[in-house]
Amino acid sequence: MKRPAIFLDRDGTLVEEVNYLHRPEDMRVFPFTATALNVLKEAGFLLIVVTNQSGIGRNIYTVEDMNSVHAAFQAEIEGVIDGFYYCPHLPCDGCACRKPALKMIEDAVNDLKIDLENSWMVGDKKIDMEAGQNAGVKTALVLTGYGSSHQATLERLPDVVADDLGAAAQKIVVLHA
């Protein structure tokens, strides 16, 4: 049976923006993140992180470093994330996985049997909104991270604009009901 998912950007959406975050001790989870994720999980959504991690391609950090951040994040939010998908490539590499391209979302759909028609992409950047729109899912822009500055650059409006993930989760649940 297919289930709807919330595809979540990591930096600026779930955690504070830290340039090339790769050490768990530098990670700052927003105070609303755990509650918001639980609200979405209770509404029946799978929770999937899709994150561009060009620091790997730039040799700033390793896949293992990134995985240690994800493990620390899972521990802090009590393990509610159903999957982590990342792109290690540079923006100039022309890969199929770097948002707004769709390979991370497509891989999650294949791995987890996701109902795209009732799914959402939540993030703080224009590329997050474009990835969601390219995938045919609803989109929610959060104004944390780069959200406030990226809002004016959007060519297509998201379905939801919210101050943060907590507010976005409440709006998504209402629209999903």
Side-chain angles (χ1 to χ4, degrees), residues 6-18 21 27-38 40 47-51 69-70 73-74 76-77 80-84 99 121-124 128 142 144-145 164-166 169:
I6 305 292
F7 297 100
L8 297 148
D9 173 58
R10 189 188 78 180
D11 304 322
T13 302
L14 299 169
V15 300
E16 290 181 20
E17 180 68 41
V18 173
L21 175 62
M27 178 183 63
R28 303 287 177 266
V29 178
F30 288 122
F32 47 76
T33 296
T35 300
L37 294 175
N38 284 324
L40 294 167
L47 303 176
I48 314 296
V49 173
V50 289
T51 180
V69 169
H70 291 169
F73 178 72
Q74 275 283 63
E76 189 158 334
I77 59 156
V80 298
I81 299 296
D82 296 293
F84 288 91
K99 291 181 289 183
M121 175 72 210
V122 180
D124 69 318
D128 299 320
V142 293
T144 50
D164 57 45
L165 181 62

Side-chain angles (χ1 to χ4, degrees), residues 2-154:
K2 291 185 176 184
R3 291 179 53 197
I6 305 292
F7 297 100
L8 297 148
D9 173 58
R10 189 188 78 180
D11 304 322
T13 302
L14 299 169
V15 300
E16 290 181 20
E17 180 68 41
V18 173
N19 205 23
Y20 300 115
L21 175 62
H22 65 281
R23 298 175 345 142
E25 58 268 25
D26 295 335
M27 178 183 63
R28 303 287 177 266
V29 178
F30 288 122
F32 47 76
T33 296
T35 300
L37 294 175
N38 284 324
V39 164
L40 294 167
K41 184 66 101 172
E42 289 170 12
F45 289 101
L46 293 167
L47 303 176
I48 314 296
V49 173
V50 289
T51 180
N52 291 341
Q53 293 296 313
S54 69
I56 296 167
R58 297 174 199 275
N59 294 314
I60 295 171
Y61 55 89
T62 65
V63 171
E64 292 77 17
D65 293 331
M66 179 201 61
N67 287 337
S68 70
V69 169
H70 291 169
F73 178 72
Q74 275 283 63
E76 189 158 334
I77 59 156
E78 300 180 3
V80 298
I81 299 296
D82 296 293
F84 288 91
Y85 293 82
Y86 69 95
C87 171
H89 304 108
L90 302 179
C92 61
D93 287 346
C95 66
C97 52
R98 185 174 179 81
K99 291 181 289 183
L102 297 179
K103 186 157 180 6
M104 288 187 285
I105 291 173
E106 290 167 347
D107 287 348
V109 167
N110 290 331
D111 293 346
L112 301 170
K113 310 298 183 247
I114 293 170
D115 168 12
L116 272 182
E117 185 177 324
N118 293 299
S119 294
W120 289 75
M121 175 72 210
V122 180
D124 69 318
K125 292 183 181 171
K126 179 180 179 179
I127 59 171
D128 299 320
M129 298 305 96
E130 291 171 345
Q133 291 159 351
N134 290 342
V137 302
K138 294 171 211 66
T139 55
L141 177 73
V142 293
L143 300 179
T144 50
Y146 292 105
S148 292
S149 62
H150 278 231
Q151 184 177 13
T153 68
L154 298 177

